[in-house]
Amino acid sequence: MNQIKSDKQKRLEYTVGDRFVSIRRGEDFSPELIFRCGQCFRWEREPLREADEDAEGVWTGVAMGRVLTLAERGDRIEFRCSEMEFREIWYGYFDFDRDYAALRRRISADPFTARAAAFGKGIRILRQDPWEALCTFILSQCNNIARIKSIVERFCECFGEPRVHMGKRVYLFPAPERIAALDARDLEPLRAGYRAAYLLHAAEEAASGRLPLAALACGTTAEAVRALTALKGVGVKVANCVALFGLGKTDAFPVDVWIRRALDAHYGGKEFDSTVFGGDAGIAQQYIFHYIRHLDSRHLSSRHLNDTKKETA
DNA sequence: GGGCAGGCATCGA
DNA sequence: TCGATGCCTGCC
């Protein structure tokens, strides 16, 4: 028997079923956009099994020391976990406290961001583990998403704790203490190149407590960026990604070459002031990023198209 | 085989 | 303070 619950303080209504929790799909929860907009690297679309043939999409991800499968079924999203796990882990991870419809309205005063927000309806910013965000965005430099994902998977397979999920072996993201105990040769199988040394250094700093990742979430964005850029191989762009995706700092505004290009094109060469979006700046950035990546035909390389076909087949 | 990719650090002007 | 360059690797 399904039981409908709602948390008035928390604005989300959900239904508790047999071994799953489900929410209404609404307009601001698109797994495709959330998992493919470049903020995370460990969520994959599953091939549909017989039991899921009425589902439109099934996704499995490893995050926060857990493995979760979720399914898009009609107008609902099913989270295949207990209610307790949903409330304690996934509610925060998927940023359910935030009203994305209201946020899209707020940033739509500007015509360019209005188009981006309409196009990217369904995106949410995940509140990821800060250590995982730090590692994955260190690996992201001068790299494409496919390759980042494969390096991250090798990293987890080599050093993460194994779990069995739906008959398959998966690996949790390795803790900084585990990585800090390694040396450069141990990381060679990752084929991460010069980024491997940055990972080792970050692990040593995090494991020793010199880099207090959890505490950075409580301070200001400027303090977090300052602490992160003190690490080897972490510049302003990567630090802002970690602040936005790992520390919940929604005013952090990572500027990469794509965002740079978009801002130059749409704000007439004037220096763009991200603070006009206040605490929404980082999320506005994600809508812009997603929008321009899909506008730009150069991005649609044959490899990208093939990947898309394979994954949606 | 050279260029390039969602960056960073270093060096020389 | 700014621009050029090397860094690993993999793909076109």
Side-chain angles (χ1 to χ4, degrees):
Chain A
M1 177 73 77
N2 290 353
Q3 189 185 357
I4 296 174
K5 301 204 175 184
S6 89
D7 193 327
K8 290 211 172 84
Q9 279 173 327
K10 293 195 164 183
R11 149 183 316 132
L12 181 74
E13 192 173 273
Y14 60 87
T15 300
V16 179
D18 182 24
R19 300 166 79 174
F20 69 85
V21 170
S22 81
I23 63 165
R24 267 175 48 89
R25 203 169 188 174
E27 294 183 316
D28 283 289
F29 195 107
S30 160
E32 174 75 26
L33 294 183
I34 293 169
F35 300 139
R36 297 255 173 93
C37 72
Q39 63 176 322
C40 59
F41 304 95
R42 300 206 72 202
W43 285 90
E44 293 296 339
R45 189 188 274 277
E46 300 272 1
L48 291 184
R49 302 176 173 204
E50 229 171 274
D52 287 320
E53 60 188 7
D54 60 329
E56 289 136 72
V58 175
W59 300 78
T60 294
V62 189
M64 314 300 283
R66 312 279 177 129
V67 193
L68 177 70
T69 292
L70 60 85
E72 304 167 79
R73 203 186 287 280
D75 67 343
R76 302 199 69 86
I77 308 272
E78 284 175 16
F79 294 77
R80 296 188 177 157
C81 63
S82 70
E83 182 186 8
M84 186 191 282
E85 181 175 324
F86 179 76
R87 291 176 67 104
E88 289 182 359
I89 309 282
W90 305 116
Y91 185 93
Y93 180 79
F94 285 101
D95 202 23
F96 282 130
D97 260 343
R98 193 179 313 278
D99 182 346
Y100 277 76
L103 185 146
R104 283 188 286 104
R105 283 194 296 275
R106 284 199 296 278
I107 65 173
S108 292
D110 174 302
F112 176 57
T113 47
R115 286 199 300 280
F119 184 79
K121 200 186 279 181
I123 288 176
R124 307 183 77 84
I125 299 292
L126 299 174
R127 298 177 72 112
Q128 302 179 65
D129 171 66
W131 163 245
E132 177 171 339
L134 175 58
C135 293
T136 54
F137 284 97
I138 282 175
L139 292 171
S140 78
Q141 56 184 273
C142 237
N143 241 334
N144 57 55
I145 290 177
R147 183 158 173 247
I148 299 164
K149 283 171 106 167
S150 65
I151 297 173
V152 171
E153 281 318 298
R154 287 191 290 271
F155 187 56
C156 297
E157 279 168 28
C158 290
F159 309 114
E161 280 180 43
R163 291 281 187 277
V164 175
H165 179 78
M166 302 197 324
K168 268 196 329 204
R169 186 175 287 258
V170 294
Y171 296 87
L172 302 184
F173 200 85
E177 292 75 18
R178 173 82 175 98
I179 306 308
L182 305 173
D183 62 33
R185 300 190 63 165
D186 298 318
L187 294 188
E188 278 172 12
L190 304 185
R191 286 171 281 151
Y194 60 90
R195 304 163 195 88
Y198 303 157
L199 280 187
L200 278 183
H201 177 247
E204 284 160 12
E205 294 299 293
S208 70
R210 287 189 293 273
L211 177 72
L213 279 171
L216 291 183
C218 306
T220 67
T221 302
E223 285 164 356
V225 168
R226 198 157 40 237
L228 290 164
T229 51
L231 297 170
K232 282 182 205 157
V234 176
V236 174
K237 192 272 179 179
V238 169
N240 274 279
C241 285
V242 177
L244 176 60
F245 302 122
L247 297 170
K249 303 297 184 196
T250 54
D251 59 332
F253 194 84
V255 178
D256 61 22
V257 295
W258 293 92
I259 291 289
R260 178 81 275 153
R261 233 177 267 162
L263 297 183
D264 288 348
H266 291 275
Y267 297 94
K270 281 176 291 186
E271 189 53 34
F272 175 75
D273 178 13
S274 69
T275 61
V276 299
F277 296 120
D280 301 326
I283 305 179
Q285 176 273 162
Q286 201 60 24
Y287 285 115
I288 295 171
F289 182 72
H290 173 68
Y291 183 49
I292 55 174
R293 289 302 298 257
H294 284 264
L295 281 183
D296 195 309
S297 59
R298 279 170 294 178
H299 178 56
L300 297 175
S301 65
S302 57
R303 182 174 53 76
H304 178 81
L305 289 172
N306 288 340
D307 282 353
T308 308
K309 274 187 222 147
K310 226 184 300 167
E311 282 157 9
T312 52

